[in-house]
């Protein structure tokens, strides 16, 4: 069986912990593709807690930013990866991807098949970024992306797939509707483009039970949320790193996840959407390209303006049940995504 390396050459850590979707995505590739490939996870020392043995290739370094020392560490990660995976398939996660383009250009000798995950075209949205991409372009066999627009932007063969593919594996503990602690939740890294502060202002001091949990992108954003939520007994604000088991539990304890996406997040793909759905939770979100499939498949409700949105009509068990049935139907469409991805990499 051929080997496939799902690799995070950036391996970014915050306070010594890997944050974001990189480790869960690596596990998803194991779950989805292990029948077709011997899947090996490649990442820095921070990956040791999640992967081990023959399933894990430890790269020399984690990184903590975009300084020259971190870039050199990323290049050394590339060198070890490309040498270890010679003759096999490599899928690069979108981690420090602009610097990774330079690493590909300098150190990849086309001894393996190389695929790159891209969630948006932000890595080629300037002249200097496009120059770095040009160094790597002809060495890349394919782009894995969430839509046709992103795929076409890179000028290489591409495969359209969602951030996560449902693998049919679930350990979800179902919390009955009447026993859920929250009406709405915002879970995951808190960035300005996710519109969390606007949601907090909308529902502060209301009868809607709201959970906001995650690590703020900046101290200023965290302070803003603390100010907005101060004195609002209906809002449970939990700022900081979220353990994986808590991350999934927060979804299960909520009736809906609310995604008030703006700017960059309104056009790019979002793994949180799939984390939400695969944990059996419908999505309420701002109408945008990234969330249109929610409305198309009936997996939740989209609004044009949060100030005009009335959630009360959706806080009924019958409405919730219909959304859950639609989510289960949507999951079946991922069987084809699995086949498409497997075929694209093999061919």
């Amino acid at each position: 069986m051929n080997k496939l390396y799902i690799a995070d050459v950036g391996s970014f850590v915050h306070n010594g912990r890997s944050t974001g979707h990189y480790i869960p995505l690596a596990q998803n590739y194991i779950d989805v593709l292990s029948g077709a490939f011997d899947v090996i996870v490649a990442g820095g020392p921070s990956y040791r807690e999640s992967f081990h043995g023959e399933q894990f290739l430890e790269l020399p370094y984690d990184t903590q930013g975009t300084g020259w020392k971190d870039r050199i560490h990323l290049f050394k990660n590339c060198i070890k990866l490309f040498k270890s995976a010679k003759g096999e398939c490599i899928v690069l996660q979108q981690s420090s991807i602009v610097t990774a383009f330079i690493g590909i250009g300098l150190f990849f000798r086309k001894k393996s098949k190389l695929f790159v995950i891209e969630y948006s075209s932000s890595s080629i949205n300037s002249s200097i970024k496009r120059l770095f991409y040009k160094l790597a372009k002809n060495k890349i066999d394919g782009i894995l992306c969430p839509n046709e627009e992103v795929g076409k932007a890179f000028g290489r063969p591409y495969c359209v797939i969602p951030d996560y593919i449902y693998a049919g594996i679930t350990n979800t503990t179902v919390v009955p509707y009447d026993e859920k602690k929250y009406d709405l939740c915002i879970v995951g890294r808190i960035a300005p483009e996710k519109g969390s502060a606007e949601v907090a202002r909308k529902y502060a001091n209301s009868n809607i039970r709201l959970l906001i949990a995650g690590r703020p992108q900046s101290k200023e954003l965290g302070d803003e949320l603390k100010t907005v939520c101060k004195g609002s007994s209906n809002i449970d604000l939990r700022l900081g790193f979220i353990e994986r088991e808590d991350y999934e539990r927060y979804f299960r304890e909520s009736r809906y996840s609310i995604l008030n996406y703006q700017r960059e997040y309104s056009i790019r793909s979002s793994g949180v959407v799939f984390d939400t759905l695969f944990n059996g939770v419908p999505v309420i979100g701002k109408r945008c390209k990234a969330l249109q499939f929610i409305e198309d498949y009936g997996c939740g409700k989209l609004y044009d303006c949060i100030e005009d949105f009335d959630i009360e009509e959706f806080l009924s068990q019958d409405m919730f049940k219909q959304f859950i049935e639609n989510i289960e139907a949507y999951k079946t469409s991922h069987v084809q995504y699995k086949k498409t991805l497997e075929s694209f990499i093999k061919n």
Side-chain angles (χ1 to χ4, degrees):
M1 186 180 294
N2 290 338
K3 294 180 180 179
L4 183 147
Y5 290 77
I6 173 69
D8 177 7
V9 292
S11 294
F12 178 80
V13 296
H14 177 78
N15 292 331
R17 304 291 297 271
S18 175
T19 62
H21 70 287
Y22 303 108
I23 286 178
L25 182 64
Q27 183 61 54
N28 187 240
Y29 269 67
I30 291 174
D31 296 338
V32 171
L33 294 178
S34 59
F37 299 93
D38 180 8
V39 181
I40 298 171
V41 176
S46 59
Y47 275 64
R48 288 178 196 155
E49 292 184 9
S50 302
F51 305 99
H52 49 81
E54 295 181 356
Q55 188 185 60
F56 178 48
L57 171 66
E58 183 171 332
L59 303 179
Y61 299 101
D62 291 320
T63 65
Q64 300 181 52
T66 57
W68 283 109
K69 184 177 180 180
D70 284 313
R71 292 175 183 177
I72 291 171
H73 286 171
L74 186 146
F75 293 153
K76 290 183 176 181
N77 284 348
C78 285
I79 291 170
K80 177 165 185 179
L81 171 68
F82 298 153
K83 181 178 180 180
S84 301
K86 183 178 178 180
E88 307 293 351
C89 296
I90 301 170
V91 175
L92 280 189
Q93 295 214 42
Q94 191 184 16
S95 172
S96 306
I97 196 65
V98 175
T99 307
F101 288 154
I102 302 174
I104 294 169
L106 291 175
F107 307 115
F108 186 66
R109 297 290 179 258
K110 208 70 176 80
K111 301 296 184 180
S112 309
K113 293 179 71 175
L114 179 63
F115 302 88
V116 175
I117 297 173
E118 291 283 2
Y119 299 120
S120 72
S121 57
S122 61
S123 62
I124 53 171
N125 65 0
S126 70
S127 297
I128 188 66
K129 290 180 181 180
R130 287 191 290 272
L131 177 62
F132 293 151
Y133 175 60
K134 188 175 181 180
L135 297 173
K137 180 177 178 180
N138 292 330
K139 297 183 177 184
I140 296 172
D141 291 280
I143 303 293
L144 308 180
C145 54
N147 56 58
E148 298 276 343
E149 183 179 348
V150 172
K152 291 177 180 178
F154 288 88
R156 297 298 294 154
Y158 62 89
C159 176
V160 175
I161 55 171
D163 291 39
Y164 299 116
I165 296 176
Y166 184 63
I169 301 171
T170 179
N171 296 313
T172 300
T173 301
V174 176
V175 178
Y177 181 85
D178 291 336
E179 296 178 19
K180 289 182 180 288
K181 293 176 61 176
Y182 308 104
D183 298 307
L184 296 173
C185 71
I186 298 173
V187 183
R189 188 175 68 90
I190 299 172
E193 295 82 4
K194 292 185 177 182
S196 305
E198 289 82 354
V199 175
R201 289 191 186 94
K202 164 79 173 178
Y203 294 110
N205 298 303
S206 70
N207 63 345
I208 300 300
R209 296 168 298 168
L210 170 64
L211 167 69
I212 300 176
R215 181 173 62 85
Q217 183 173 302
S218 66
K219 181 180 183 301
E220 291 75 19
L221 181 54
D223 289 343
E224 180 183 7
L225 281 168
K226 290 177 184 177
T227 299
V228 173
C229 299
K230 185 177 181 180
S232 296
S233 60
N234 63 303
I235 300 180
D236 188 353
L237 182 63
R238 304 187 181 191
L239 300 183
F241 179 83
I242 307 174
E243 298 290 349
R244 189 68 195 179
E245 56 268 27
D246 290 331
Y247 180 78
E248 295 181 350
R249 177 172 59 83
Y250 290 156
F251 284 121
R252 295 195 298 269
E253 291 178 343
S254 304
R255 292 174 174 172
Y256 295 95
S257 173
I258 184 164
L259 304 174
N260 190 40
Y261 285 171
Q262 305 166 15
R263 298 186 292 280
E264 173 71 12
Y265 269 88
S266 68
I267 58 175
R268 63 167 292 167
S269 182
S270 169
V272 173
V273 183
F274 299 100
D275 284 330
T276 301
L277 297 179
F278 295 167
N279 276 285
V281 177
V283 170
I284 289 175
K286 188 171 183 179
R287 183 170 284 104
C288 61
K289 186 172 184 178
L291 299 179
Q292 185 56 48
F293 79 98
I294 292 295
E295 194 165 68
D296 294 343
Y297 284 92
C299 297
K301 176 66 177 178
L302 302 183
Y303 56 80
D304 293 307
C305 175
I306 192 170
E307 291 304 321
D308 299 330
F309 177 67
D310 182 7
I311 193 176
E312 295 291 344
E313 63 179 292
F314 298 99
L315 295 180
S316 73
Q317 194 160 350
D318 288 342
M319 180 73 73
F320 179 84
K321 181 180 178 181
Q322 184 60 61
F323 287 142
I324 294 300
E325 290 175 355
N326 293 343
I327 289 172
E328 291 303 313
Y330 168 69
K331 287 178 181 178
T332 64
S333 70
H334 281 232
V335 173
Q336 187 56 50
Y337 286 128
K338 176 181 180 297
K339 293 178 180 178
T340 299
L341 175 60
E342 183 180 316
S343 176
F344 184 73
I345 294 175
K346 282 186 173 181
N347 296 331

